[in-house]
Amino acid sequence: MKSNTSVLLSIAVAILGSIIITILDLTISGAALFAAGAIATGIANQFISTKKSGPSSEAVESDFATTTLYVGNLPYRANEMAIRTLFSEHGKVLSVRLMKDKHTGKRRGFGFVEMPEKDAENAINALNEKEFQERSLKVREANERAPRPAENAQV
């Protein structure tokens, strides 16, 4: 994903290029100008990404242990954003999954929230038995899912 820095850098390179061409009074075709700008932007982007070569933000985020929380007794009208907002008051929320019925598509009244381990305990203590949209939430650490037997297992 391109960052705002890359976009701003591209704009700055284009402006700088047009200023240099105006000052030097160069006559360059549009295709050559575009190619030069693209090369300059690529080099500048590469330079910026190597300058950030310390621990990248992606690596830092994945360097901590996470815990998946079971959230039960959810109101059927609750959506992922409402649950994310509620849990983010108690720490960083990495993901929210609300379970739906396969056939009807209606919510089943429970879901899972993934948080860093250090924030999960805080969220459990704060939100278990808490009233949310007229329902008393059940929040605890999720159990590991038992492996399902293969449907077409050959013996």
Side-chain angles (χ1 to χ4, degrees):
M1 177 189 309
K2 292 277 184 189
S3 67
N4 289 339
T5 306
S6 296
V7 173
L8 292 174
L9 182 63
S10 298
I11 293 170
V13 168
I15 291 170
L16 183 61
S18 65
I19 290 171
I20 290 171
I21 289 172
T22 303
I23 291 173
L24 298 178
D25 195 30
L26 297 175
T27 308
I28 300 176
S29 72
L33 182 61
F34 178 80
I39 291 169
T41 303
I43 291 169
N45 279 336
Q46 187 64 32
F47 178 73
I48 285 177
S49 66
T50 56
K51 289 289 265 186
K52 296 180 188 176
S53 65
S56 70
S57 60
E58 293 172 5
V60 171
E61 285 186 19
S62 63
D63 282 349
F64 53 80
T66 62
T67 300
T68 301
L69 303 177
Y70 164 83
V71 185
N73 203 31
L74 285 170
Y76 296 106
R77 67 183 175 275
N79 61 26
E80 282 85 358
M81 187 51 99
I83 302 303
R84 180 178 293 277
T85 302
L86 176 68
F87 276 79
S88 66
E89 294 172 7
H90 305 286
K92 184 172 183 166
V93 176
L94 303 174
S95 68
V96 176
R97 294 182 320 269
L98 300 182
M99 301 295 101
K100 294 181 180 182
D101 184 87
K102 290 179 190 177
H103 304 292
T104 65
K106 294 182 181 178
R107 292 200 172 90
R108 296 180 61 192
F110 72 96
F112 300 94
V113 176
E114 186 179 12
M115 301 180 79
E117 210 170 63
K118 61 182 174 57
D119 296 336
E121 191 65 36
N122 184 27
I124 291 171
N125 293 333
L127 297 175
N128 190 36
E129 301 296 331
K130 180 182 178 184
E131 194 78 17
F132 176 70
Q133 295 183 1
E134 302 175 6
R135 304 284 298 258
S136 180
L137 295 179
K138 307 294 182 208
V139 181
R140 64 177 183 261
E141 191 170 336
N143 296 328
E144 286 293 321
R145 182 183 224 178
R148 293 182 178 185
E151 291 180 25
N152 296 329
Q154 295 178 359
V155 179

